[in-house]
C-alpha cells in the first residue's frame, strides 16, 4: 500500500501543493506535519513509521520532506527497507524508489540528502547574516505589525476611550503590545 507523507516547516505554510501532488499520484492515506525538518518531534511522521508494514511504500514529493538532516534521512533509508518498507519520491531531480533496489536509488538518496542538508546550512547562514545586518541598522528582526492610520486611530480609541490595556488593544489588532507602545502617541495628560 502506498502511504503519503507531507510536511511544511511552519504552521503558516500550506500543505495543499504536496497533498494535491500525492493525491494525483493515487495516494489516499496521508500523514502530515507542520514542523521544521530539524524538529525531531514530528507526530505525523512517527505515526506513519509505526503504521508502515512490509510491502508498503512511503511516498513523499521530495526527499527533504522526510528530514533535512543527512544522518536521519540515511537512517530511514537503511531502516525501512530492512522492514520491507520502500520509499519513493515524486518530484526530486533524481527519482528515488527503494523498491527497485538499484544502485542509482541509493546514490540518489545520498546526494539528495546531502544537498538538502547543505541548503539548510546555507539558509541558516543567510538568515543569521540578515538578522545581524538588521541589528546593525537598528531594526528589530522579525515580522512587523502592520498599522495603518486607521489602525492607530482605533488603537488610541480603544486605549483612551474604552480604557483597554495595551495587551487587550494588541489582541484586538492582532499585534504585540511592544509595537503599540512604539507606534502610538503618548496618552493625553489629564487636567489637574
Amino acid at each position: 500500500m502506498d502511504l503519503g507523507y507531507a510536511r511544511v516547516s511552519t504552521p503558516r505554510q500550506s500543505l495543499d501543493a504536496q497533498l494535491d501532488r500525492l493525491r494525483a499520484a493515487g495516494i489516499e492515506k496521508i500523514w502530515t506535519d507542520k514542523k521544521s525538518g530539524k524538529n525531531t518531534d514530528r507526530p505525523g511522521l512517527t505515526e506513519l513509521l509505526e503504521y508502515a508494514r512490509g510491502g508498503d511504500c512511503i511516498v513523499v514529493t521530495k526527499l527533504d520532506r522526510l528530514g533535512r538532516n543527512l544522518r536521519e534521512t540515511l537512517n530511514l533509508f537503511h531502516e525501512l527497507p530492512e522492514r520491507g518498507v520502500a520509499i519513493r519520491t515524486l518530484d526530486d531531480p533524481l527519482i528515488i524508489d527503494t523498491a527497485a533496489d538499484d544502485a542509482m536509488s541509493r546514490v540518489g538518496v545520498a546526494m539528495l540528502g546531502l544537498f538538502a542538508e547543505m541548503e539548510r546550512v546555507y539558509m541558516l547562514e543567510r538568515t543569521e547574516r540578515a538578522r545581524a545586518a538588521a541589528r546593525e541598522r537598528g531594526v528589530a528582526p522579525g515580522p512587523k505589525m502592520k498599522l495603518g492610520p486607521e489602525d492607530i486611530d482605533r488603537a488610541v480609541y480603544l486605549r483612551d476611550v474604552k480604557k483597554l490595556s495595551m495587551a487587550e488593544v494588541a489582541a484586538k489588532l492582532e499585534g504585540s503590545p511592544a509595537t503599540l507602545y512604539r507606534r502610538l502617541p503618548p496618552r493625553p495628560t489629564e487636567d489637574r
Side-chain angles (χ1 to χ4, degrees), residues 27-42:
I27 315 303
E28 295 177 11
K29 194 150 184 64
I30 302 171
W31 285 259
T32 64
D33 281 313
K34 286 193 169 196
K35 299 211 173 200
S36 171
K38 69 178 176 145
N39 192 329
T40 57
D41 176 33
R42 288 173 279 163

Side-chain angles (χ1 to χ4, degrees), residues 15 35 38 42 44 48 50 93 110 118 134 145-146 165 170 178 180-181 190:
L15 289 161
K35 299 211 173 200
K38 69 178 176 145
R42 288 173 279 163
L48 167 61
E50 290 171 358
M118 283 175 38
M145 183 176 174
K146 307 279 191 265
S165 70
L180 291 175
Y181 279 113
E190 296 180 22

Side-chain angles (χ1 to χ4, degrees), residues 47-119:
E47 187 179 316
L48 167 61
L49 295 175
E50 290 171 358
Y51 182 89
R53 302 288 180 255
D56 289 342
C57 180
I58 295 175
V59 182
V60 292
T61 55
K62 292 186 177 264
L63 185 63
D64 66 357
R65 298 301 83 201
L66 287 174
R68 294 183 89 170
N69 175 300
L70 181 59
R71 174 178 281 165
E72 179 187 10
T73 303
L74 291 177
N75 285 344
L76 280 174
F77 272 84
H78 286 289
E79 171 198 326
L80 291 172
E82 288 175 1
R83 293 175 34 198
V85 177
I87 300 172
R88 187 174 82 224
T89 64
L90 299 175
D91 298 329
D92 275 321
L94 300 170
I95 300 302
I96 305 298
D97 186 351
T98 61
D101 193 32
D102 65 341
M104 285 311 293
S105 278
R106 288 190 298 276
V107 169
V109 168
M111 289 175 58
L112 291 172
L114 180 61
F115 292 143
E117 186 160 332
M118 283 175 38
E119 175 54 28

